[in-house]
């Protein structure tokens, strides 16, 4: 969560070569990449990206322990899920794979803390009350840190990153579905990486 201000959240459909895309993102300053398990290309893309120098590739939209195991075997170095369930958290903890579960309420955060977790994805960020909601949630949980994802834009990312409780944001705007223009991806990624300064 500290390696870059924005984690590209990728839904890959085969329109871009995963290795070239990963190289483009790393060169632009975004080495941490989340490949969502929403397409048949996801695990293969993780395998390819895991071999690219400088990349920290993880799997997103992980819904159960079986997907976690498959993603880790493909080379995922971290796991992101849209929600928090005890079976998935137990598998992540026992496997030692860094785990970022989705939370949207105080109860979610408390369940995570009970499991020994203190880093979460705030999801879906924009429709769960946005910045005011996260500020309110962060108040009673001073040591918890978040990666807001869902509805974050290039225009709003800096506002989220200005919050003390936010280490990074998920960026689905960096690579669109059916994207083929790597120069445009690189420019968006450079702009996102500059948010760290």
């Amino acid at each position: 969560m500290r390696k870059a201000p924005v984690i590209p959240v990728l839904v890959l459909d085969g329109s871009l070569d995963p290795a070239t895309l990963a190289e483009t993102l790393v060169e632009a300053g975004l080495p941490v990449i989340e490949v969502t398990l929403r397409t048949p290309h996801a695990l293969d893309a993780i395998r390819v990206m895991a071999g690219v120098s400088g990349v920290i590739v993880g799997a997103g939209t992980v819904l159960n322990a079986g997907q976690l195991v498959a993603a880790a075997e493909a080379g995922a170095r971290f796991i992101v899920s849209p929600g928090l369930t005890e079976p998935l958290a137990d598998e992540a903890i026992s496997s030692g794979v860094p785990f970022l579960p989705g939370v949207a309420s105080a109860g979610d955060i408390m369940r995570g803390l009970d499991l020994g977790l203190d880093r979460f994805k705030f999801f879906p960020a924009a429709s769960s009350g946005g910045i005011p909601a996260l500020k309110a949630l962060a108040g009673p949980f001073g040591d918890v840190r978040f990666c807001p994802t869902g509805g974050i834009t290039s225009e709003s990312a800096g506002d989220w990153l200005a919050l003390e409780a936010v280490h990074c944001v998920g960026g689905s705007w960096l690579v669109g579905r059916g994207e083929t223009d790597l120069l445009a991806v690189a420019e968006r990624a450079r702009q996102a990486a500059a948010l760290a300064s």
Side-chain angles (χ1 to χ4, degrees):
M1 291 174 71
R2 287 292 203 184
K3 295 286 186 185
V6 178
I7 298 176
V9 178
L10 308 180
V11 181
L12 299 177
D13 58 7
S15 58
L16 285 171
D17 173 67
T20 306
L21 176 57
E23 290 164 359
T24 298
L25 292 169
V26 170
E27 287 169 9
L30 299 181
V32 184
I33 301 170
E34 176 188 336
V35 177
T36 63
L37 301 186
R38 297 185 195 177
T39 71
H41 304 277
L43 290 175
D44 286 339
I46 290 170
R47 282 187 196 92
V48 171
M49 289 179 166
V52 174
S53 178
V55 169
I56 302 169
V57 64
T61 321
V62 175
L63 306 178
N64 55 56
Q67 287 183 331
L68 184 151
V69 170
E73 288 175 350
R77 293 174 53 190
F78 64 94
I79 300 296
V80 183
S81 65
L84 174 62
T85 66
E86 194 167 329
L88 181 55
D90 287 345
E91 181 64 34
I93 292 165
S94 67
S95 71
V97 177
F99 178 47
L100 198 63
V103 297
S105 70
D108 291 342
I109 295 167
M110 291 170 69
R111 281 190 295 278
L113 290 170
D114 285 345
L115 293 165
L117 304 169
D118 63 3
R119 300 293 183 263
F120 301 101
K121 172 168 91 164
F122 179 53
F123 178 82
S127 61
S128 294
I131 288 173
L134 185 55
K135 281 183 177 178
L137 285 172
F141 302 106
D143 294 330
V144 171
R145 294 296 177 261
F146 300 91
C147 175
T149 306
I152 311 292
T153 65
S154 59
E155 293 78 21
S156 68
D159 294 333
W160 286 95
L161 289 165
L163 302 180
E164 182 181 352
V166 172
H167 276 346
C168 60
V169 300
S172 56
W173 77 87
L174 291 158
V175 182
R177 285 190 184 225
E179 181 83 56
T180 58
D181 186 349
L182 280 173
L183 290 176
V185 170
E187 180 57 28
R188 290 193 292 269
R190 279 191 292 272
Q191 291 172 3
L195 293 170
S197 55

